[in-house]
């Protein structure tokens, strides 16, 4: 049991929501200020690493922080995470060039990795299963509000103030969360005899392996072709490191990635299903804004509103999911949600060309409603099948699987989009189109500079590419459904006292 009852517990919950808001708001705000940042610091060719570096650092450290929270408690890990995030934000605001900014974003990501998993784990510690949807729905509302409001806040700061204020804005929020957690969060003292030796070799191996593989996925098809020497070399290195990690973890007394995470049927099924969720999320998160601007002809703000429409319905169905899984169980509730998501994703491919903005927004609203039924029952359910000393590792493995799935999804669907557009350009019956894929984004930004027939053809090519991507996302949703129906037990083995 953590935190006291009444006001101390309410204060801790407020701090958790504030911390979740910090992580969710950060990426949404930073994305809107990229033009100003690049104009000030330069480094256009590498600016994507402002985001990729943060994601890499946060993803590969999730299993490490999960194990540390199970060993030393949630509070020290959360305090370290907030401190690293705060320090990274301060240094980002002081960055003197793009290389420095990327390095400090990686530091910020090291803190963000601690916050993502530990906040979700603490939510399960604070509330029994019957009350857990209440705190989870609050977290989802914070995430949704940040996703919708972040671009607007970032746009205001980028327009009327210096971009450095985007990072300075984190400081008072992080300091407030740090003070509340330090004062109000209490955990039972754990006997030193229950603590095994920390598997630092495994932690370093996980970090190195995850970093190399995710780096290959982020850069493949962008910085170099997929079948080029850099891509193949990085993927081969990642495979060798993965084999080394397995060898080290089998010998470790307290492994960072324990084998039971994959030997237990429920946890393995949830991990695989969440990886499929990450895979399909690349379609609405990465490619919907491009579709809304290039095909629907919307401005950046309205395109962002269409893309974020799913965040309006996701919290609603997440809040009511508890009433569903109490009747039909965790697995069947999640299966219902992802089956509906597959139908919605496929329905996008049936939209006419050109579609109306309200049609795309409706698809996003329905997708958010379906995924709200899918994700929360899996997280709440799997957390209830493990004891306190395993909950941090379990939660981290679930989030790690989702993040890896999202990275793989962005890479795979990016390859599908590039292949579709390249084929349409090669067979183009009209002159004036870009000769290379690298020039497509510039042409989409200024379509008025192209002949009308060329602009229409390019717009239709992007429409076809995004339709293919949503079809792939529908296949990923069906894969998640198949995993749930064949791997996950129909009834999750909830431990006594977790009800």
């Amino acid at each position: 049991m953590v935190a006291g009852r009444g006001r101390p517990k309410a204060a801790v919950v407020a701090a958790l929501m504030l911390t979740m808001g910090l992580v969710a708001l950060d990426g949404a705000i930073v994305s809107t200020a990229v033009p100003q940042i690049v104009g000030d610091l330069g480094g256009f060719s590498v600016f994507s690493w402002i985001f990729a570096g943060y994601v890499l650092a946060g993803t590969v450290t999730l299993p490490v922080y999960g194990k540390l929270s199970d060993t030393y408690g949630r509070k020290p890990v959360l305090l370290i995470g907030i401190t690293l995030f705060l320090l990274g934000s301060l240094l980002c605001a002081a960055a003197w060039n793009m290389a420095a900014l990327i390095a400090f974003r990686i530091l910020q990501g090291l803190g963000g990795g601690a916050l993502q998993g530990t906040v979700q784990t603490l939510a399960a510690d604070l509330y029994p299963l019957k009350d857990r949807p209440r705190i989870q729905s609050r977290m989802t509302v914070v995430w949704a509000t940040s996703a919708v409001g972040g671009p607007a806040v970032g746009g205001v700061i980028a327009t009327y103030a210096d971009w450095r204020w985007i990072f300075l804005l984190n400081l008072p929020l992080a300091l407030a969360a740090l003070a509340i957690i330090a004062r109000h969060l209490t955990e039972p003292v754990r006997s030193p005899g229950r603590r095994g030796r920390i598997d630092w070799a495994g932690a370093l191996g996980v970090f190195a392996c995850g970093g190399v593989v995710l780096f290959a996925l982020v850069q493949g098809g962008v910085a170099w072709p997929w079948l080029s020497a850099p891509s193949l070399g990085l993927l081969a290195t990642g495979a060798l490191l993965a084999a080394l990690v397995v060898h080290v973890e089998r010998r470790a007394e307290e492994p960072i990635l324990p084998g039971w995470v994959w030997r237990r049927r429920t946890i393995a099924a949830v991990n695989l299903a969440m990886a499929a969720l990450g895979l399909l999320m690349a379609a609405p998160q990465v490619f919907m804004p491009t579709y809304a601007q290039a095909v629907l002809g919307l401005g950046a703000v309205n395109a962002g509103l269409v893309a974020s429409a799913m965040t309006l319905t996701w919290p609603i169905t997440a809040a009511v999911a508890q009433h569903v899984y109490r009747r039909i169980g965790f697995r069947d509730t999640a299966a219902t949600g992802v089956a509906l998501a597959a139908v919605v994703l496929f329905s996008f491919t049936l939209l006419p060309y050109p579609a109306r903005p309200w049609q795309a927004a409706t698809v996003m609203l329905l997708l958010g409603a379906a995924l709200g039924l899918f994700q929360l029952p899996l997280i709440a359910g799997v957390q209830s099948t493990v004891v306190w000393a395993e909950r941090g590792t379990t939660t981290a493995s679930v989030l790690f699987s989702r993040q890896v799935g999202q990275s793989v999804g962005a890479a795979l669907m990016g390859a599908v989009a590039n292949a579709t557009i390249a084929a349409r350009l090669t067979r183009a019956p009209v002159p004036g189109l870009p000769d290379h894929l690298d020039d497509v984004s510039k042409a989409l930004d200024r379509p008025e500079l192209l002949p009308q027939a060329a602009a229409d053809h390019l717009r239709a090519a992007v429409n076809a590419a995004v339709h293919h991507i949503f079809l792939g996302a529908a296949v990923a949703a069906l894969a998640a459904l198949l995993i749930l129906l064949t791997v996950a037990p129909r009834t999750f083995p909830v431990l006594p006292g977790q009800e």
Side-chain angles (χ1 to χ4, degrees):
M1 180 68 179
V2 296
R5 295 184 178 273
R7 294 181 62 184
K9 184 175 180 178
V12 171
V13 172
L16 295 182
M17 294 174 67
L18 187 60
T19 304
M20 175 67 77
L22 268 175
V23 177
L25 196 61
D26 180 77
I29 290 182
V30 172
S31 63
T32 59
V34 165
Q36 192 184 41
I37 293 173
V38 172
D40 187 15
L41 300 181
F44 178 80
S45 62
V46 295
F47 83 85
S48 63
W49 277 96
I50 295 174
F51 307 99
Y54 178 92
V55 171
L56 282 173
T59 301
V60 300
T61 53
L62 272 168
V64 179
Y65 287 126
K67 183 62 179 179
L68 290 175
S69 75
D70 283 342
T71 304
Y72 294 104
R74 325 299 187 208
K75 183 173 182 177
V77 173
L78 195 56
L79 292 178
I80 290 171
I82 296 174
T83 301
L84 287 175
F85 191 88
L86 193 155
L87 179 60
S89 298
L90 183 61
L91 291 173
C92 283
W96 54 90
N97 58 31
M98 184 59 73
L101 180 59
I102 291 170
F104 298 146
R105 281 286 286 172
I106 291 173
L107 176 63
Q108 198 181 21
L110 294 176
L115 301 183
Q116 290 181 67
T118 312
V119 166
Q120 293 280 3
T121 305
L122 261 172
D125 290 345
L126 285 168
Y127 289 90
L129 179 58
K130 63 183 178 66
D131 296 327
R132 201 167 298 157
R134 182 172 58 184
I135 182 64
Q136 293 285 7
S137 62
R138 289 178 187 174
M139 297 291 183
T140 307
V141 168
V142 170
W143 168 75
T145 303
S146 301
V148 175
V153 175
V156 170
I157 293 176
T159 302
Y160 299 105
D162 191 272
W163 61 266
R164 299 177 190 274
W165 281 100
I166 285 175
F167 297 103
L168 293 175
L169 184 67
N170 291 333
L171 302 187
L173 301 178
L175 286 171
L178 193 67
I180 295 172
I181 293 295
R183 180 177 179 181
H184 292 293
L185 178 59
T186 58
E187 295 183 284
V189 178
R190 304 187 72 211
S191 169
R194 296 176 60 190
R195 296 176 179 171
R197 185 177 300 173
I198 293 295
D199 176 26
W200 294 114
L204 181 61
V206 169
F207 188 88
C209 178
V212 168
V213 173
L214 291 178
F215 181 78
L217 293 173
V218 169
Q219 293 294 86
V222 179
W224 46 67
W226 281 108
L227 297 179
S228 64
S231 277
L232 296 177
L234 284 170
L235 291 173
T237 302
L240 289 174
L241 287 172
L244 180 62
V245 167
V246 171
H247 176 73
V248 170
E249 295 296 84
R250 283 181 173 177
R251 294 173 174 267
E253 178 186 351
E254 292 286 341
I256 291 293
L257 285 175
W260 56 260
V261 169
W262 293 104
R263 287 194 299 269
R264 296 184 190 178
R265 183 180 170 187
T266 304
I267 302 175
V270 171
N271 283 343
L272 292 172
M274 292 297 282
L277 171 64
L279 196 68
L280 71 87
M281 284 299 293
Q285 287 187 338
V286 178
F287 294 98
M288 179 55 80
T290 298
Y291 172 84
Q293 292 184 66
V295 179
L296 303 183
L298 302 178
V301 174
N302 288 332
L305 291 176
V306 170
S308 61
M310 64 185 295
T311 64
L312 300 177
T313 50
W314 192 314
I316 296 173
T317 51
V320 302
Q322 59 173 315
H323 303 294
V324 182
Y325 67 62
R326 284 175 181 169
R327 289 178 176 271
I328 65 175
F330 295 111
R331 189 201 71 167
D332 290 350
T333 302
T336 301
V338 79
L340 292 173
V343 173
V344 173
L345 288 164
F346 179 75
S347 72
F348 179 86
T349 67
L350 304 179
L351 293 182
Y353 173 77
R356 302 287 183 87
W358 68 264
Q359 293 173 317
T362 300
V363 169
M364 297 299 285
L365 286 169
L366 293 174
L367 182 60
L371 294 179
L373 280 178
F374 172 60
Q375 178 175 273
L376 187 139
L378 293 182
I379 294 178
V382 77
Q383 287 177 331
S384 302
T385 66
V386 294
V387 296
W388 185 96
E390 296 174 340
R391 192 174 293 148
T393 299
T394 300
T395 304
S397 74
V398 170
L399 298 180
F400 178 76
S401 297
R402 186 183 67 187
Q403 292 284 85
V404 171
Q406 198 159 340
S407 297
V408 173
L412 289 178
M413 294 184 185
V416 170
N418 288 341
T420 302
I421 294 174
R424 295 297 178 103
L425 293 180
T426 301
R427 302 195 304 264
V430 296
L433 286 164
D435 295 325
H436 304 287
L437 282 173
D438 293 340
D439 298 324
V440 169
S441 61
K442 298 177 184 178
L444 291 174
D445 287 339
R446 301 293 300 276
E448 68 275 7
L449 299 180
L450 297 176
Q452 185 61 46
D456 290 342
H457 186 83
L458 185 59
R459 191 174 295 112
V462 173
N463 180 74
V466 178
H467 277 215
H468 290 167
I469 287 165
F470 269 77
L471 182 60
V475 172
L478 289 175
L481 176 62
L482 185 63
I483 290 166
L484 290 175
L485 295 180
T486 59
V487 181
R490 180 158 191 168
T491 301
F492 281 22
V494 176
L495 296 179
Q498 293 283 342
E499 296 84 355

